[in-house]
């Protein structure tokens, strides 16, 4: 059969067959240039009770399926959409998708979708959210485990003024809590993000290759500005490499740091060539519970310190066990 409709807007061709002996149904459909908005009412009536259709209808608000191939095979009366013999391949463009979990609306969504063997996979996914973009993305969802996400991998360019809303997408509570302390962020970041399932748990990896950030952080009275550097989160360790920027009047350069998010909470910081003004540094140290008590007898500080070389490491919450080496003027 072949057909062309004005509403819903679609062109389709295919075939249907029933084996009288096995009572098995085979259905194949090819389609092109399908307007998704005009198809939603039809899908809601025809298959609105199907969990996958219901999920898609709730999130997908507009777009065009440029081409689609669908094949389903099963016994009469069986659920043809939810079995391992179903194959769905589609290309889509100009989409708009809602992500209610994060309060986001994705625009200009393009990609290629495949559903086979109980797994839904989207490749070459690209989208825009206000001034932020993702591209070259891959998404995998296990349909047999209540649509459980097993992989998200993407390159991104992020408008950091959107950071408060994006923080809700991060599944690691320790990182989410610390990032929520960044107030009034401005700037951009570029890098890679990966969320993967391993042994029934999620592994999260961030790799920020370019960073320009201005923000208020914690209870620092001075603004924080980061002009470049790399940030990586992997294996429960948050690392920063070759950061440069400014905290108040203090110039930060050649700063590298790593923080373990395991129970030991160990950290290490190195810096070369930074210039610290002590009236900026004292409020910073007083903003952390671990060092506030250590600094309780120091009420004022003035002057500056040029760090030729600085190393500090130890358990984050036990400053009396920190080890440090400092060479400066």
């Amino acid at each position: 059969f072949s057909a062309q409709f004005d509403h819903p807007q679609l062109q389709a061709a295919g075939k249907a067959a029933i084996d009288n002996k096995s009572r098995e149904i085979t259905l194949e459909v090819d389609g092109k240039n399908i307007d998704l908005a005009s198809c939603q009412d039809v899908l809601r009536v025809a298959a609105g009770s199907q969990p996958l259709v219901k999920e898609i209808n709730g999130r997908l608000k507009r777009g065009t399926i440029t081409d689609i191939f669908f094949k389903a095979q099963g016994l009469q009366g069986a659920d043809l959409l939810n079995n391992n013999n179903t194959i769905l391949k589609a290309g889509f463009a100009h989409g708009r998708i809602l992500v209610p979990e994060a309060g986001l609306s994705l625009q200009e969504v393009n990609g290629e979708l495949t559903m086979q063997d109980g797994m839904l996979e989207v490749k070459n996914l690209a989208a825009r959210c206000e001034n932020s973009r993702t591209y070259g993305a891959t998404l995998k969802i296990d349909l047999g485990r209540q649509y459980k996400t097993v992989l998200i991998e993407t390159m991104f360019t992020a408008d950091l003024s959107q950071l408060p809303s994006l923080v809700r997408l991060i599944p690691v509570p320790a990182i989410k809590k610390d990032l929520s302390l960044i107030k009034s962020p401005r700037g951009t970041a570029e890098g890679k993000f990966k969320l993967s399932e391993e042994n029934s748990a999620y592994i999260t990896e961030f790799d920020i290759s370019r960073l320009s950030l201005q923000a208020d952080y914690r209870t620092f009275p001075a603004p924080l500005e980061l002009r470049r550097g790399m940030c990586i989160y992997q294996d429960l360790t948050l690392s920063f490499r070759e950061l440069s920027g400014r905290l108040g009047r203090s110039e930060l350069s050649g700063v590298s740091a790593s923080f373990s998010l395991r129970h030991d909470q160990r950290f290490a910081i190195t810096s070369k060539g930074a210039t610290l003004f002590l009236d900026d540094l004292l409020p910073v140290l007083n903003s952390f519970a671990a060092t506030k008590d250590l600094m309780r007898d120091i009420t004022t500080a003035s002057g500056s310190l040029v760090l030729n070389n600085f190393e500090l490491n130890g358990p984050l919450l036990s400053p009396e066990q920190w080890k440090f080496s400092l060479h400066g003027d």
Side-chain angles (χ1 to χ4, degrees):
F1 67 88
S2 63
Q4 181 170 335
F5 297 92
D6 292 327
H7 189 87
Q9 296 177 23
L10 63 87
Q11 302 173 34
K15 63 181 181 180
I18 300 176
D19 189 312
N20 291 326
K21 278 189 175 182
S22 64
R23 301 184 63 80
E24 188 173 74
I25 299 174
T26 301
L27 176 65
E28 290 186 17
V29 179
D30 280 290
K32 292 184 180 297
N33 302 320
I34 299 173
D35 179 71
L36 292 173
S38 68
C39 290
Q40 284 191 305
D41 288 340
V42 176
L43 281 173
R44 196 175 290 112
V45 172
S49 62
Q50 294 287 343
L52 180 60
V53 173
K54 190 174 182 180
E55 180 80 5
I56 291 174
N57 264 346
R59 294 176 181 269
L60 189 58
K61 295 306 172 186
R62 68 166 178 261
T64 302
I65 295 180
T66 54
D67 56 89
I68 186 171
F69 171 74
F70 175 76
K71 180 178 180 180
Q73 193 171 5
L75 296 175
Q76 279 184 311
D79 186 349
L80 294 182
L81 284 177
N82 290 304
N83 68 56
N84 290 335
N85 294 321
T86 298
I87 299 173
L88 173 65
K89 296 181 180 181
F92 54 92
H94 313 301
R96 176 173 173 256
I97 297 177
L98 300 182
V99 186
E101 298 87 346
L104 300 178
S105 174
L106 303 181
Q107 313 284 340
E108 301 172 21
V109 182
N110 304 287
E112 302 162 6
L113 179 148
T114 302
M115 186 178 75
Q116 191 170 5
D117 298 327
M119 187 71 69
L120 186 148
E121 181 175 9
V122 182
K123 291 184 176 180
N124 300 320
L125 180 63
R128 177 180 64 84
C129 180
E130 297 183 21
N131 295 324
S132 298
R133 291 185 177 274
T134 64
Y135 53 94
T138 298
L139 168 66
K140 291 184 180 181
I141 295 175
D142 189 338
L143 303 178
R145 290 190 291 160
Q146 298 183 324
Y147 308 101
K148 185 178 181 66
T149 301
V150 297
L151 175 68
I152 301 174
E153 189 170 17
T154 184
M155 305 288 289
F156 66 85
T157 300
D159 176 357
L160 295 179
S161 65
Q162 294 179 260
L163 186 61
S165 61
L166 297 176
V167 165
R168 287 180 285 181
L169 294 173
I170 297 173
V172 183
I175 295 181
K176 184 184 296 186
K177 180 180 178 181
D178 214 48
L179 287 178
S180 69
L181 299 175
I182 298 176
K183 306 298 182 184
S184 305
R186 304 170 300 285
T188 59
E190 296 180 12
K192 296 186 294 185
F193 169 76
K194 183 177 180 181
L195 175 72
S196 57
E197 187 189 26
E198 188 173 306
N199 298 325
S200 300
Y202 282 120
I203 305 298
T204 309
E205 299 176 31
F206 274 104
D207 187 341
I208 299 177
S209 56
R210 184 176 297 178
L211 177 68
S212 174
L213 169 66
Q214 292 177 297
D216 299 320
Y217 180 61
R218 300 179 66 93
T219 56
F220 296 179
L224 172 67
E225 177 184 350
L226 297 177
R227 289 189 291 269
R228 68 178 179 85
M230 181 178 291
C231 170
I232 299 173
Y233 173 74
Q234 190 173 20
D235 297 330
L236 292 178
T237 299
L238 181 64
S239 302
F240 300 90
R241 299 176 186 172
E242 296 302 318
L243 288 177
S244 70
R246 182 190 293 268
L247 179 62
R249 294 183 299 149
S250 297
E251 283 287 340
L252 309 174
S253 63
V255 177
S256 295
S258 65
F259 298 90
S260 170
L261 300 180
R262 299 181 178 87
H263 294 302
D264 59 1
Q265 293 189 302
R266 298 192 67 84
F267 78 102
I269 298 174
T270 63
S271 179
K272 295 181 179 180
T275 300
L276 303 180
F277 286 86
L278 300 184
D279 49 354
D280 287 333
L281 183 60
L282 184 60
V284 170
L285 294 174
N286 281 329
S287 74
F288 291 93
T291 50
K292 184 176 183 179
D293 187 59
L294 195 68
M295 307 296 293
R296 64 183 180 276
D297 295 328
I298 302 176
T299 56
T300 59
S302 62
S304 63
L305 178 65
V306 177
L307 297 178
N308 299 323
N309 188 67
F310 174 71
E311 297 180 9
L312 175 66
N313 63 78
L316 186 62
L317 300 181
S318 302
E320 68 279 359
Q321 298 180 39
W322 292 356
K323 297 179 180 180
F324 63 90
S325 170
L326 183 152
H327 298 274
D329 300 304

